[in-house]
Amino acid sequence: MTESTALTALPVRELARRVAQRTITAEAVARAFLERCAAVEPDVLAWQYLDPELAIRQARALDAGPAAGALCGVPVGVKDLMDTADMPTTYGSPIYAGHRPAADAACVAMARAAGAVMMGKTATTEFATFAPGRTRNPRAGAASPCTPGGSSSGSAAAVAAGMVPVAFGTQTAGSIVRPAAYCGVVGYKPTHGTLPLAGIKPLAPSLDTVGVLARSVDDAACFIGALARLPLTPPGACVSASAVPRIGIVPATTAARRWSARQARWPHEARR
């Protein structure tokens, strides 16, 4: 296993912990994932916009400052439905080609504040509902290309291909869970309103929800938990001695006596 492969295989919590402790640098992490992008992106086409130099500059800025944030140095794909101040945002439509928002979407700003590196913009179906993008499902062979599902197609494909550990998705009906299922990754659509929708092209605001595509349940929990400031923990981590369920077994004779007493009080129950 090469050093780059070892870095890209780390869980999100461990990746952030090591960057925060300065045992690895955010730049080394970004370069490892960019190396993976260079190797597989030509076949997958998960990115609407990818600027390696911009990602490296973000990582260097993190390394030069104080190590802080629950997502310190974690590379993140940003669905191209979300505004980004330093990258174009097209909402998956040629109508918005070259569009440069003045500010980040709220959830993107939250991820930056938590120390994450915004790697690029992942492809989406047009306005999250119309024409599909060009992204291919990385689980399918080049000889038989298959859809990655939509609308968070690029995010699911980028995670499945190992180009980022996590990527933003949005869902109105099935736009996170469907591409997650198609690409064989974890899709987490939290409760509506868990993360803010400001700066995201709306489809149906009463249903639109910000979520994540990830390699594992714990990566998804770590990412959403960090942004929403919720104590989401790995499966089983919340189980302690005091939390173990207490199970009691009622003896058959006791159960029979209780049933007889019930019949005596309510005779009609016996006829049901």
Side-chain angles (χ1 to χ4, degrees):
M1 179 181 291
T2 66
E3 182 179 354
S4 293
T5 304
L7 288 177
T8 59
L10 289 173
V12 165
R13 292 182 197 272
E14 181 64 15
L15 196 61
R17 184 186 69 80
R18 293 192 188 187
V19 173
Q21 292 179 349
R22 303 302 199 197
T23 58
I24 57 176
T25 65
E27 182 177 352
V29 173
R31 288 190 181 278
F33 279 98
L34 286 169
E35 182 179 311
R36 178 65 179 168
C37 289
V40 301
E41 170 59 8
D43 294 326
V44 179
L45 305 175
W47 299 98
Q48 179 68 32
Y49 182 85
L50 181 64
D51 182 351
E53 287 304 316
L54 177 59
I56 294 299
R57 287 198 300 271
Q58 293 178 66
R60 285 175 176 169
L62 284 171
D63 290 333
L71 300 175
C72 193
V74 175
V76 176
V78 181
K79 185 176 180 178
D80 195 33
L81 209 65
M82 301 175 172
D83 287 349
T84 43
D86 55 353
M87 291 178 273
T89 302
T90 72
Y91 313 116
S93 175
I95 297 172
Y96 282 91
H99 172 57
R100 289 273 183 170
D104 286 335
C107 60
V108 174
M110 293 163 71
R112 291 191 201 272
V117 174
M118 302 300 106
M119 292 285 280
K121 307 300 289 288
T122 57
T124 175
T125 57
E126 187 176 20
F127 301 127
T129 189
F130 295 112
R134 56 180 187 161
T135 305
R136 302 167 186 159
N137 192 322
R139 304 293 186 186
S144 55
C146 296
T147 177
S151 64
S152 303
S153 48
S155 290
V159 171
M163 291 189 271
V164 282
V166 290
F168 275 114
T170 61
Q171 176 165 311
T172 306
S175 290
I176 290 174
V177 296
R178 179 173 46 246
Y182 284 20
C183 292
V185 297
V186 172
Y188 177 37
K189 180 255 173 202
T191 300
H192 180 264
T194 298
L195 295 176
L197 293 169
I200 300 174
K201 197 71 169 175
L203 180 57
S206 62
L207 296 173
D208 294 346
T209 305
V210 179
V212 67
L213 286 300
R215 301 170 300 184
S216 68
V217 171
D218 186 42
D219 281 356
C222 177
F223 185 72
I224 297 298
L227 300 187
R229 299 185 179 182
L230 294 172
L232 302 182
T233 54
C238 61
V239 176
S240 61
S242 60
V244 174
R246 298 174 63 188
I247 300 173
I249 299 175
V250 179
T253 52
T254 301
R257 284 198 299 270
R258 289 178 178 175
W259 176 244
S260 297
R262 181 179 177 182
Q263 286 180 310
R265 288 195 300 272
W266 301 293
H268 64 280
E269 288 286 337
R271 295 192 296 271
R272 289 189 176 182

